Amino acid sequence: MKRALVTGGSGGIGAAICRRLAADGHHVIVHANRGLTKAAALVAEIVAAGGSAEAVSFDVTDRAAAAAALASLLEAGPIQILVNNAGIHADAVFPGMSGEQWDSVLDVSLNGFFNVTQPLSLPMIRTRWGRIITISSIAGLTGNRGQVNYSAAKGALHAASKSLALELASRGITVNAVAPGIIATGMIEGSFDAETIKKLVPMQRAGQPEEVADLVAFLASPQAAYISGQVISINGGMI
Ligand code: NDP
């Protein structure tokens, strides 16, 4: 049984990833920021289904808090599967974008990647086996109006994943990004109606969080040992 940390496990995609990794037999650490109650409920659900899980909460933008929480988790052993999934968006056309909108999105996605991945990297290296999977977005590949901040953060995660993949390749650790299109979670509520989705997505529907989770679970599996440094899209044929 491997220990897997899923940041933003309290959210839509993160919860689906937690359920799937638990079903695959991993011990899942369900991370939340403000939604610890949701994470705890998910842990209870996983345990009731015969799986193994625990909840943890910290703000990924708070480097000291993240380091302290991760150090405490590492006392129980290494974390060999990391899914960097926590993310926010704060959309605005660029001339109207505030510094706060810019900073907050970069802080959660990009600084959050560093604050969580860096402290886990050496313990993972010591085990000579690991999976680091980061949830980015189609916006990081194509750009998107009103999302200069979000696209910048997600595109940077692609570059960071590729560089880290090169550093860790000889240690049995793969590093990949998963770039979803439109996935049916709270994050897109109010952003896209059914008609807009039909126009934007060749498959004419939003993706399900479980579909993203299936891809993440494959990348986390031993079968995906030779896939590293990749950005893998899951978007119903949008690009
Ligand atoms: P949700 O809004 O449902 O979940 C977001 C998660 O991120 C929550 O668990 C939230 O924790 C966590 N989070 C936010 N801010 C922080 C923070 N400062 N510190 C720690 N955790 C934080 O979104 P989704 O499930 O839809 O999105 C998950 C990922 O997928 C994101 O990275 C998103 O950018 C990406 N994505 C989503 C798409 C979609 O269509 N839904 C498309 C492409 C990419 P809490 O609630 O506990 O505060």
Side-chain angles (χ1 to χ4, degrees), residues 14 16-17 33 45 69 79 88-89 97 101 124 129-130 142 147 160 162 167 169 183 187 190 208 213 215:
I17 294 169
N33 183 29
E45 180 195 316
I79 292 167
I88 59 166
H89 66 100
M97 184 174 283
Q101 284 173 311
M124 200 185 279
W129 195 97
T142 62
Q147 291 197 316
K162 283 177 181 290
E167 287 194 19
I183 309 298
M187 184 177 267
Q208 294 303 309
L215 172 55

Side-chain angles (χ1 to χ4, degrees), residues 15 25 28 43 59-60 67 72 88 107 123 129 138 146 154 167 186 194 207 213 235 237:
V28 178
V43 167
D59 183 339
V60 297
S72 157
I88 59 166
D107 222 12
W129 195 97
I138 189 171
K154 297 301 195 179
E167 287 194 19
N235 58 37

